[in-house]
Amino acid sequence: VSVLPSSSSTKTAAVDDDHLSSFRNILDGYQECPTLLDRHLERMATSLAAGARTIVHKVFHCRQLMVEEEDNGNGGDAAAASAAMAALLLQLRYPLSALY
């Protein structure tokens, strides 16, 4: 799980995609003998779900900020919150894809 990008990662999408591909390749190596991996799956899934939960929590707060800024007439700040939310949603694909 440590090969996956963290939710605070600022690396490029290509590097993050490489990490996800490496993770999938590692798991694919255990297809013939899954019992070797079974005892680690719960810990891995818990770690990936925690990362996804953190990102979703940040998206929720960005959305709250965006609504508050729109209500206050601060369109520029609302646009910044919207951009931050979009970036977070892109990060969400990595832990969810690894869980899948």
Side-chain angles (χ1 to χ4, degrees):
V1 177
S2 63
V3 297
L4 290 177
S6 68
S7 61
S8 62
S9 177
T10 58
K11 298 176 185 172
T12 66
V15 172
D16 291 343
D17 288 339
D18 289 343
H19 285 116
L20 184 57
S21 180
S22 296
F23 182 71
R24 287 182 178 155
N25 288 335
I26 291 167
L27 291 182
D28 286 346
Y30 288 95
Q31 292 298 320
E32 295 297 320
C33 207
T35 55
L36 295 173
L37 191 59
D38 285 347
R39 63 188 173 128
H40 302 286
L41 288 177
E42 183 178 353
R43 182 176 42 121
M44 290 168 45
T46 300
S47 178
L48 290 166
R53 189 171 34 254
T54 299
I55 294 169
V56 168
H57 186 72
K58 289 178 181 179
V59 167
F60 175 77
H61 283 293
C62 280
R63 177 67 181 144
Q64 279 186 316
L65 177 64
M66 192 171 78
V67 169
E68 289 172 8
E69 294 301 326
E70 286 174 347
D71 289 345
N72 293 333
N74 297 329
D77 291 339
S82 179
M85 190 169 60
L88 287 168
L89 288 171
L90 285 175
Q91 287 182 356
L92 190 58
R93 73 176 185 222
Y94 296 106
L96 293 181
S97 180
L99 279 169
Y100 176 72

